[in-house]
């Protein structure tokens, strides 16, 4: 996997959502069309199957149960782009800046590496995100991402 630079002040990656039974096919299609050869795969405690290549800027999430928040996304919007993750140098400062601008954080910030996220702990020293409320027609997360 190619070395990733710390993404600050730009979109780090796009999060897609698909049904779990389509995850392998979506990965295969992206591999054949874009040449993405390596996918880190893992499941979160909340029941999400994840395939990700952050060097390529793509994360695919697939709900494994109907209570999963991504299942609601599929019911209301269908498969495709769900969220953009915007890179910040410091997540706490990014959250404070968003709050000062009147944009709320949905839920608590979370440490992606705490999920036992495949090979990601080997590739990243820090991988934390916070979901902002929907604004300007966007679903956006802030991400503090520090490659090793």
């Amino acid at each position: 996997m190619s070395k990733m630079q710390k993404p600050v002040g730009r979109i780090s990656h796009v999060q897609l959502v698909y049904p779990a039974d389509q995850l392998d096919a979506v990965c295969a299609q992206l591999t054949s069309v874009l040449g993405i050869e390596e996918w880190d795969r893992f499941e979160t405690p909340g029941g999400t199957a994840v395939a990700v290549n952050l060097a390529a800027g793509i994360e695919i999430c697939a709900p494994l149960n109907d209570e999963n928040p991504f299942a609601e996304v599929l019911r209301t919007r269908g498969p495709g782009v769900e969220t953009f993750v915007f890179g910040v140098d410091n997540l706490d400062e990014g959250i404070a800046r968003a709050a000062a601008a009147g944009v709320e954080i949905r839920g608590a910030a979370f440490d992606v590496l705490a999920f036992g996220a495949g090979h990601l702990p080997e590739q990243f020293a820090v991988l934390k995100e916070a979901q902002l409320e929907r604004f300007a027609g966007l679903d956006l997360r802030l991400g503090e991402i520090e490659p090793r």
Side-chain angles (χ1 to χ4, degrees), residues 2-57:
S2 63
K3 176 79 168 132
M4 179 180 169
Q5 300 297 313
K6 184 173 182 176
V8 175
R10 65 177 176 85
I11 298 295
S12 161
H13 62 283
V14 169
Q15 184 181 68
L16 310 173
V17 62
Y18 281 89
D21 64 354
Q22 294 179 18
L23 185 59
D24 289 339
V26 171
C27 288
Q29 187 172 30
L30 289 170
T31 295
S32 68
V33 173
L34 302 178
I36 301 169
E37 295 182 9
E38 295 181 43
W39 294 96
D40 282 305
R41 290 179 177 247
F42 59 94
E43 291 183 13
T44 70
T48 302
V50 178
V52 61
N53 182 312
L54 290 180

Side-chain angles (χ1 to χ4, degrees), residues 45-89:
T48 302
V50 178
V52 61
N53 182 312
L54 290 180
I58 300 175
E59 174 184 10
I60 308 165
C61 296
L64 298 174
N65 60 61
D66 288 337
E67 293 76 40
N68 184 293
F70 291 116
E72 180 63 21
V73 170
L74 288 173
R75 284 191 290 273
T76 59
R77 291 189 271 173
V81 174
E82 202 280 317
T83 299
F84 294 94
V85 180
F86 189 83
V88 295
D89 193 45

